[in-house]
């Protein structure tokens, strides 16, 4: 799996594993950290969100990531594969390769709500929430 594929599958997994209709940046960061013990970069988030929007896996509006029925369908298919928690990105890539067109070229968008300040604030919110403060 190359870096862009990993970013797409990691961020998609982080959004859908929460099992919510709407996901904030802080929730995304927390979920991504839980899956990979790392905080995604702005570039990784932009790559993933651009890909997901282009394939109708999410809608992004007002600093919020909204899941879609199609996105839920693909995540359900990925969860049915073997391997447990840490195989989720690999299972998601398998489902992406099977269900999505590889011919669709996706231009990476720059999301106005993603910047160093918003990432730092979302990270601080995640840390505070995880400590129960």
């Amino acid at each position: 799996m190359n870096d862009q594929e990993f970013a797409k599958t990691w961020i998609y997994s982080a959004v859908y594993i929460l099992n919510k209709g709407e996901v904030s940046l802080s929730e995304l960061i927390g979920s991504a950290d839980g899956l990979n013990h790392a905080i995604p970069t702005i570039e990784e988030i932009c790559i993933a969100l651009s890909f997901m929007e282009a394939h109708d896996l999410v809608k992004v509006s007002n600093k919020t990531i909204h899941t879609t029925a199609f996105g839920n369908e693909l995540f359900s298919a990925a969860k049915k594969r073997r391997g447990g928690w840490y195989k989720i990105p690999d299972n998601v890539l398998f489902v992406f390769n099977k269900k999505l067109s590889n011919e669709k070229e996706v231009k990476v968008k720059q999301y106005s709500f993603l910047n160093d300040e918003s990432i730092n604030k979302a990270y601080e919110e995640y840390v505070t929430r995880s400590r129960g403060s």
Side-chain angles (χ1 to χ4, degrees), residues 10 14 27-40 85 123 126-127:
W10 176 34
E27 291 168 324
L28 168 63
I29 286 174
S31 183
D33 187 30
L35 277 172
N36 191 41
H37 303 293
I39 305 304
W85 183 263
Y123 176 75
Y126 153 60
V127 169

Side-chain angles (χ1 to χ4, degrees), residues 11-34:
I11 301 304
Y12 170 84
S13 299
V15 167
Y16 276 89
I17 207 160
L18 293 170
N19 198 27
K20 296 176 67 176
E22 297 181 350
V23 177
S24 69
L25 184 55
S26 175
E27 291 168 324
L28 168 63
I29 286 174
S31 183
D33 187 30

